[in-house]
Amino acid sequence: MAIKRKPMKMVTLLLAMIMTLSAAGCSSGGNNGSNNGGNAEGSKSTNAPVQTEAATETKLSEDEPGWKADTSPITFDWYLNFSWFPNKWGVDATSKYITKKTGVDINFIVPAGNENEKLNTLVASGKLPDFITIDFANDNVKKMIEGELVLPLNKLAEEYDPYFFKASDPAKLNWYTQEDGNVYGYPNASSSPADYEKYGDTYVANQVFVVRKDMYEAIGKPDMSTPEGFLKALQLAKEKYPQVNGQPLIPLGLHEFGDTGNYSLEAYLQNFLAIPREKDGKLYNRETDPEYVTWLKTLRQANQDGLLAKDIFIDKRVQMEEKIAQGRYFAMLYQRTDFANQEGTLYQKNPEQIYIAIDGPANSKHDAPTLDGPGISGWTITLISKNVKDKARAIRFLSYLNSEEGNKDLFLGEKGVSYDTIDGKDQFKPEVLELLNKDRSSFDKQYGSSFTFWMLMNTNITQQWTNPTVEPFKQLEDWTRGKTKSASAFEGIDPTGNSPEGIIGSKIKSLRAKTLPKLLMAPSDAEFDKIWNDYLEKQQKEGLEKFQAYQQKKYEENKQKLSQ
């Protein structure tokens, strides 16, 4: 559905009203709320940028960034639904530069514990922070939209910042257009079909199967692509390295077990096994594939053999990061960017003790993995709350972050500080690049560029400023090249919210989350079969057919959207 825009006469009239209010001193203000974690609305900044005469004369149009119309100080509260996010705005050079440039300061709000519990509480209260960044597939996205807790970005843009439409990809706006014709969220790390045509041969995947280099080589570099070889390698590693620096070796690492399942044991493993997503135009229930069941039983055998540490069933990402930094895992089915900081630290200590990507679990035909490349849905979406303290400044700041200018600022930082024009190309200064590759955590705190703040990152735009990847990260990237596939047509097909299908979906995901650990801890294959068959029966009773019919309909709609 096309997004309708208001005529420019209306925009001009609104601009005049905004300027009048600004001259009367009605602009929102705020100091750095990120330093104390509080809401700084109403306080004044001591080093705030001065609104220049040029800024006050900025005309609102699709060709002129709206943020320039008002650079007076304001602080927005920004909720990130990721408990592991460690950074504060205003500590590093890049965020300080952006605040000086735009007048916008940010107070990040990050849940201390369970993300869904925190967000559910916020949604139930009806009072959300100014900005919300959340996984695009999270059920709360639909709840926030249906509950009218977030504002349509297109309507905000029509009123306050037509530049939003120039800074945004029409295909992505179309993808996220709801049934009411409005767009409520914009994605990061998103790639449209046009992006695939332009950049597809450069795409790499995030999903990898890795092993600790020194251990893997010491046990003879065994083939881990077959169930037999996989189990044998885990056994050899445990026998040769029962302990790592006085702590027990963890033979296999997986993503955390959450309320809806486990990434490693679902899509990642299915992708490594090259299990199709559809057959003859009909969605295929990948978890019923015999190859997948075989590998779940392989992991069950691993647990019976004492090769699955109890840690993997209870650890969250923070605990995993600590153990990765200690080199305690032999192998992991994981996301390479999720352990980049730890990988860099390990490399500095001992290049032989890093994690390298190898051919992991494969199907019986040894087909190449079909790993997820960047999809049009992206990773997260960012929304603006109905309670936002300043609608105009909010949509203008989102437009800025989303634009090429904003992406360059977030990626490279301030010229002369973190980057310069070197050999005719804007790129990181040598000492900055060295720190980035050596110590990501310290880099984030000192410079804050290279998408320390990734909420609106456009990884296609930023390719022009990237430096060639260096070791130990290069090997991980290179292993995925040629194995990526676009899964855009299959994104966002799960029902969410309080619809009948959404309720069924929530029950099925919860059932899966409870079943996966039971399958791995089953004492025998016979008990596994019993648990598995019971799981399939319960899915049917919960309404699996209705759930799948909804998925099929959305899949067909997605194919239609992508063909436009």
Side-chain angles (χ1 to χ4, degrees):
M1 183 179 293
I3 297 172
K4 297 179 180 179
R5 306 182 191 173
K6 294 187 177 180
M8 285 306 298
K9 286 184 179 180
M10 178 66 75
V11 173
T12 305
L13 177 59
L14 286 164
L15 174 60
M17 293 170 63
I18 292 167
M19 292 306 176
T20 301
L21 289 171
S22 178
C26 293
S27 172
S28 298
N31 197 7
N32 189 351
S34 60
N35 289 335
N36 55 25
N39 187 340
E41 184 178 1
S43 59
K44 296 298 180 181
S45 173
T46 56
N47 60 349
V50 177
Q51 187 169 324
T52 64
E53 183 178 346
T56 61
E57 293 178 355
T58 298
K59 297 289 192 298
L60 291 183
S61 74
E62 289 195 9
D63 297 318
E64 188 67 26
W67 68 265
K68 295 181 179 180
D70 186 352
T71 57
S72 61
I74 185 172
T75 298
F76 284 118
D77 292 327
W78 196 313
Y79 177 78
L80 297 175
N81 199 46
F82 302 92
S83 60
W84 49 261
F85 184 78
N87 300 301
K88 302 288 186 183
W89 189 271
V91 173
D92 59 277
T94 295
S95 60
K96 288 178 180 177
Y97 166 62
I98 291 174
T99 293
K100 180 181 177 182
K101 177 176 181 176
T102 66
V104 176
D105 208 342
I106 297 173
N107 168 42
F108 284 123
I109 300 171
V110 179
N114 185 290
E115 290 97 340
N116 285 333
E117 287 182 4
K118 174 67 173 178
L119 189 54
N120 286 338
T121 300
L122 287 172
V123 171
S125 74
K127 296 181 180 179
L128 299 174
D130 302 302
F131 288 91
I132 306 98
T133 295
I134 181 175
D135 186 306
F136 81 88
N138 191 295
D139 283 359
N140 278 297
V141 173
K142 187 170 185 179
K143 290 178 183 177
M144 288 186 286
I145 294 173
E146 291 180 344
E148 298 183 350
L149 300 179
V150 289
L151 299 172
L153 301 183
N154 53 297
K155 289 189 175 181
L156 289 175
E158 288 164 359
E159 284 197 65
Y160 304 112
D161 188 23
Y163 183 72
F164 170 82
F165 296 106
K166 182 175 182 179
S168 303
D169 186 330
K172 294 164 192 175
L173 291 177
N174 181 59
W175 181 258
Y176 275 103
T177 296
Q178 303 297 309
E179 291 181 3
D180 63 2
N182 294 317
V183 179
Y184 294 87
Y186 198 84
N188 73 348
S190 166
S191 291
S192 64
D195 289 330
Y196 261 87
E197 291 181 10
K198 189 173 182 180
Y199 307 104
D201 60 347
T202 68
Y203 288 158
V204 293
N206 209 10
Q207 301 159 1
V208 288
F209 179 74
V210 299
V211 291
R212 215 179 96 165
K213 182 175 184 292
D214 56 338
M215 294 182 181
Y216 183 64
E217 292 175 349
I219 62 174
K221 298 183 180 180
D223 179 6
M224 296 185 71
S225 65
T226 66
E228 299 77 17
F230 186 86
L231 291 171
K232 183 64 174 176
L234 295 185
Q235 186 66 49
L236 288 172
K238 185 178 180 181
E239 290 174 356
K240 191 171 185 63
Y241 299 95
Q243 290 192 326
V244 179
N245 297 324
Q247 298 289 330
L249 175 77
I250 304 173
L252 178 66
L254 304 170
H255 271 277
E256 66 183 70
F257 286 83
D259 297 334
T260 59
N262 184 302
Y263 295 149
S264 298
L265 296 178
E266 296 173 76
Y268 292 10
L269 180 56
Q270 292 160 6
N271 290 347
F272 267 81
L273 301 180
I275 298 174
R277 295 175 184 271
E278 62 87 27
K279 291 184 177 182
D280 300 322
K282 298 295 183 182
L283 290 176
Y284 180 56
N285 189 352
R286 302 175 89 197
E287 69 176 1
T288 62
D289 191 276
E291 301 272 8
Y292 177 63
V293 176
T294 294
W295 272 94
L296 286 184
K297 285 189 172 182
T298 300
L299 294 174
R300 186 216 67 79
Q301 186 65 50
N303 186 65
Q304 182 177 324
D305 296 344
L307 301 174
L308 296 186
K310 292 181 180 178
D311 308 52
I312 69 173
F313 294 102
I314 57 176
D315 282 350
K316 299 300 181 183
R317 175 166 167 168
V318 173
Q319 287 78 40
M320 284 200 66
E321 289 176 347
E322 293 174 357
K323 293 170 183 177
I324 294 171
Q326 296 165 356
R328 289 184 58 192
Y329 296 96
F330 164 61
M332 293 187 292
L333 182 55
Y334 209 60
Q335 295 189 91
R336 59 182 176 80
T337 55
D338 279 13
F339 66 94
N341 289 0
Q342 294 74 35
E343 178 85 338
T345 301
L346 290 170
Y347 187 71
Q348 294 303 316
K349 291 179 179 178
N350 187 339
E352 294 302 307
Q353 294 181 355
I354 61 171
Y355 289 95
I356 58 172
I358 66 167
D359 293 342
N363 64 34
S364 56
K365 296 179 181 178
H366 278 268
D367 294 322
T370 53
L371 307 180
D372 290 345
I376 194 167
S377 294
W379 165 32
T380 69
I381 61 170
T382 294
L383 309 96
I384 295 176
S385 165
K386 72 170 184 179
N387 300 312
V388 66
K389 61 177 63 72
D390 190 320
K391 296 178 182 178
R393 297 292 296 281
I395 188 63
R396 292 169 186 171
F397 189 60
L398 189 148
S399 296
Y400 157 72
L401 294 178
N402 195 34
S403 68
E404 181 165 334
E405 176 187 17
N407 266 263
K408 184 175 183 178
D409 288 346
L410 285 167
F411 186 79
L412 289 177
E414 183 176 10
K415 188 167 187 178
V417 177
S418 51
Y419 86 95
D420 242 320
T421 304
I422 303 171
D423 297 329
K425 176 185 175 181
D426 288 344
Q427 56 184 296
F428 289 121
K429 298 165 71 172
E431 66 272 19
V432 177
L433 185 61
E434 181 181 6
L435 182 61
L436 172 61
N437 292 326
K438 180 180 179 181
D439 188 344
R440 177 72 207 215
S441 181
S442 295
F443 172 90
D444 288 347
K445 291 178 176 62
Q446 183 173 346
Y447 294 107
S449 43
S450 191
F451 287 126
T452 297
F453 307 103
W454 37 257
M455 297 82 75
L456 272 304
M457 67 178 178
N458 185 325
T459 47
N460 294 310
I461 288 178
T462 56
Q463 285 198 43
Q464 60 189 300
W465 305 302
T466 57
N467 293 83
T469 306
V470 299
E471 297 300 356
F473 314 106
K474 183 177 185 298
Q475 190 273 340
L476 299 173
E477 277 192 10
D478 287 348
W479 184 88
T480 72
R481 293 187 191 279
K483 301 179 178 74
T484 62
K485 304 290 181 182
S486 173
S488 290
F490 306 94
E491 293 175 356
I493 63 173
D494 286 356
T496 58
N498 294 319
S499 66
E501 295 85 358
I503 293 171
I504 293 170
S506 295
K507 289 180 179 179
I508 289 175
K509 290 175 184 177
S510 178
L511 177 63
R512 180 183 302 137
K514 294 174 182 176
T515 303
L516 284 171
K518 293 178 182 178
L519 292 168
L520 268 56
M521 291 187 282
S524 65
D525 276 353
E527 185 63 23
F528 178 102
D529 290 339
K530 181 179 178 181
I531 295 170
W532 182 252
N533 291 331
D534 183 58
Y535 166 63
L536 297 180
E537 288 179 12
K538 286 181 178 178
Q539 280 188 323
Q540 291 293 337
K541 290 179 181 177
E542 294 291 2
L544 180 64
E545 288 187 6
K546 190 171 185 178
F547 176 81
Q548 290 177 325
Y550 179 95
Q551 287 184 312
Q552 181 69 31
K553 180 174 180 290
K554 293 296 294 183
Y555 166 59
E556 292 170 1
E557 290 174 359
N558 284 351
K559 289 197 296 183
Q560 180 63 30
K561 274 188 177 182
L562 291 170
S563 67
Q564 294 174 354

